[in-house]
Amino acid sequence: MKTLAIDTSTDTLGVALVDEDKVIGEIITNVKKNHSVRAMPAVETLLKDCGMKPKDLERIVVAKGPGSYTGVRIGVTIAKTLSWSLNIPLVGVSSLEVLAANGRFFDGYISPLFDARRQQVYTGLYKYEDKLVEVNADVNILNEAWATQLKELDQKILFVGNDVPLHREVLTHILGEKACFSEIVTHNPRPSELALIGMNKQPEEAHSLVPNYIRLAEAEANWLASQNKMSER
């Protein structure tokens, strides 16, 4: 099953082509540049370099959030458009699940982490049991509250992600030696892992797939708050 995976949910842009038994190609960059002008050219470059055409694709897999509001929306829009125009199945996968897959050789719990500003994080809890299993659903939570919750497990926790250094002090203070931190080579979500996960999930209707922001974008939240205040006058 020739699968194209697309992840634009963070600063890391990733696209991959994966078949049943091999990773055909993969492009990953971790720079603060606009995904809206780089994502489709990356897809086109990957297809060309791998000697494939869009009509050769059999499935599209996309990281559907949480993450950057704009970034998630870009990836989901591209994936839905390709799925609809090529008439092939589409699968949406948690962006945190993709990142958690980098801890496949860790014997314990895995907490992928994206910064959500104001001491908050997007995170979840996963563990490998032959395959990656979700232990705690993805949440938007204060870093201190998350660490306190994890402390009750009394188990080693592997934290993964480019934003982990922003919260390392708090995590270490509360969890002590139970807090483990992955090497920088595992901090970028890998689109090949995204493809592998998506190849084993049920497709969904392209028009019904929506981003999972977990919380409202700040601009939208502020707008709703202002509307509520106006209605109360």
Side-chain angles (χ1 to χ4, degrees):
M1 183 191 304
K2 294 182 178 61
T3 300
L4 173 67
I6 303 168
D7 187 353
T8 60
S9 51
T10 65
D11 286 340
T12 303
L13 166 66
V15 293
L17 277 171
V18 178
D19 207 344
E20 293 289 349
D21 58 351
K22 68 176 179 178
V23 176
I24 303 171
E26 187 170 31
I27 295 175
I28 303 173
T29 61
N30 180 23
V31 291
K32 291 182 181 297
K33 289 189 176 181
N34 193 338
H35 292 329
S36 64
V37 297
R38 299 179 63 240
M40 270 311 299
V43 170
E44 293 167 353
T45 296
L46 183 63
L47 288 171
K48 181 179 179 181
D49 288 350
C50 295
M52 292 179 61
K53 299 183 181 300
K55 65 180 178 63
D56 297 322
L57 298 173
E58 299 172 277
R59 176 171 290 207
I60 305 293
V61 181
V62 64
K64 64 178 183 179
S68 158
Y69 178 84
T70 302
V72 171
R73 185 175 59 196
I74 290 168
V76 169
T77 299
I78 291 172
K80 291 175 69 168
T81 301
L82 288 172
S83 171
W84 180 81
S85 62
L86 297 172
N87 193 28
I88 57 177
L90 173 65
V91 177
V93 176
S94 161
S95 302
L96 289 166
E97 183 178 358
V98 179
L99 183 55
N102 286 351
R104 66 168 60 247
F105 298 114
F106 182 74
D107 184 20
Y109 293 108
I110 307 161
S111 178
L113 186 153
F114 299 146
D115 180 57
R117 295 188 294 183
R118 300 188 181 93
Q119 299 301 307
Q120 297 178 82
V121 294
Y122 295 119
T123 189
L125 197 63
Y126 296 81
K127 189 174 185 179
Y128 268 98
E129 297 174 356
D130 295 328
K131 64 177 182 178
L132 189 63
V133 176
E134 180 187 85
V135 178
N136 193 105
D138 297 345
V139 293
N140 174 210
I141 189 172
L142 286 168
N143 54 17
E144 186 174 336
W146 180 240
T148 301
Q149 183 176 326
L150 294 177
K151 188 175 182 179
E152 297 177 2
L153 296 173
D154 194 30
Q155 298 286 328
K156 287 187 175 182
I157 313 289
L158 178 68
F159 294 96
V160 187
N162 286 307
D163 295 333
V164 167
L166 298 174
H167 304 275
R168 182 166 183 157
E169 183 177 350
V170 170
L171 298 172
T172 303
H173 176 71
I174 295 174
L175 292 168
E177 294 183 353
K178 299 296 184 183
C180 303
F181 301 94
S182 66
E183 297 292 344
I184 60 171
V185 292
T186 63
H187 282 185
N188 288 334
R190 298 196 65 90
S192 53
E193 291 280 13
L194 169 60
L196 184 62
I197 294 170
M199 289 166 69
N200 292 292
K201 288 183 181 287
Q202 288 297 316
E204 46 195 302
E205 173 60 42
H207 294 295
S208 64
L209 176 66
V210 294
N212 177 23
Y213 298 121
I214 293 187
R215 68 174 183 181
L216 294 175
E218 186 172 4
E220 185 177 356
N222 290 340
W223 182 84
L224 287 173
S226 67
Q227 295 303 302
N228 289 334
K229 287 180 181 179
M230 291 178 64
S231 65
E232 293 172 357
R233 293 176 180 174

